Amino acid sequence: MSIKSHTNPRLTVEDYITSSIIRFGGLPNYIQEKMTVDTFAIKGNLGIAHGIKMYIENQKERLHSAEQIVILDIGPAIGALTAMLVLQELSQAGLLTKVKVILLDVSERVLQKTQERDFEFPETLIHRSLKTKIFSKLRLSKGLLTSAHQIPLKENSVDICTAGFLFHHLHDDIKKATAEAMQRVTK
């Protein structure tokens, strides 16, 4: 397992307790709120997959001629669903064998469980024929343990950068820096 820590010693546990799920737990209509959030997340991830499909189509020549395609998934949550949707689209374009996945999260548990494939494979969203290939990519992924605004990668080193449903979890004071860091590392 490959996890490299780049933590910021100034951040505390309280810095990360902004999850919408945590906030919903105290609401009287928790189930309805949770269903709303889950529906939004699924539709959003499918929208990301559609955007990636369009990106692949527009960048077909460059991606096919590339030696390697690097995907950076920031804040993947256990299972890295957004990364898996991207991998599915790249597979359909015949590009999966070229892919290297990098997962970046503030939670070592998220990185470990994803790399160990310790989650249910979402066969309703990802075709089951891709399970072995996608699980292999996640097992071999590089894990970066750090905050999203401190991406420890070189400029223009990533082909596809995703952050599915990350920004609402971030404190306002690092949102701009996170977007700038994502832009800096993406080709």
Side-chain angles (χ1 to χ4, degrees):
M1 179 176 333
S2 170
I3 298 175
K4 189 171 180 184
S5 178
H6 295 278
T7 56
N8 181 343
R10 295 177 295 164
L11 297 175
T12 66
V13 172
E14 289 76 27
D15 291 323
Y16 298 103
I17 302 178
T18 61
S19 169
S20 57
I21 300 301
I22 292 169
R23 287 191 300 247
F24 287 148
L27 297 175
N29 296 322
Y30 171 74
I31 297 299
Q32 184 60 45
E33 296 288 341
K34 178 78 170 99
M35 287 173 43
T36 300
V37 168
D38 289 349
T39 300
F40 175 73
I42 290 168
K43 285 183 177 180
N45 271 303
L46 291 174
I48 290 169
H50 178 72
I52 291 297
K53 187 175 190 168
M54 290 173 33
Y55 172 79
I56 292 168
E57 185 62 34
N58 289 333
Q59 298 291 315
K60 189 182 294 187
E61 285 182 39
R62 184 183 71 80
L63 292 173
H64 276 284
S65 66
E67 198 170 303
Q68 184 177 58
I69 299 169
V70 179
I71 299 172
L72 171 62
D73 191 1
I74 302 172
I78 294 172
L81 178 59
T82 305
M84 286 197 290
L85 288 165
V86 171
L87 291 169
Q88 180 170 253
E89 293 300 328
L90 288 167
S91 176
Q92 290 173 359
L95 296 166
L96 188 59
T97 58
K98 296 180 173 199
V99 174
K100 173 185 176 184
V101 177
I102 302 172
L103 305 172
L104 185 150
D105 205 283
V106 295
S107 168
E108 185 173 8
R109 181 175 174 267
V110 164
L111 297 173
Q112 287 177 338
K113 287 200 167 283
T114 300
Q115 289 174 325
E116 293 168 0
R117 289 108 40 232
D118 187 10
F119 58 88
E120 287 293 320
F121 186 79
E123 289 183 6
T124 56
L125 296 172
I126 309 294
H127 198 276
R128 73 180 70 165
S129 67
L130 296 174
K131 182 177 180 177
T132 301
K133 292 175 183 177
I134 287 177
F135 270 10
S136 176
K137 294 294 181 184
L138 294 177
R139 181 179 55 80
L140 298 172
S141 68
K142 179 178 181 179
L144 298 175
L145 185 62
T146 188
S147 179
H149 71 290
Q150 300 173 319
I151 303 172
L153 298 174
K154 294 179 183 177
E155 188 173 316
N156 299 316
S157 60
V158 172
D159 294 285
I160 299 171
C161 183
T162 64
F165 305 97
L166 170 76
F167 280 83
H168 70 282
H169 292 290
L170 299 177
H171 284 271
D172 288 343
D173 61 340
I174 66 167
K175 287 180 180 180
K176 183 176 187 260
T178 298
E180 290 170 347
M182 290 173 66
Q183 188 174 22
R184 176 185 61 79
V185 301
T186 306
K187 294 178 185 176

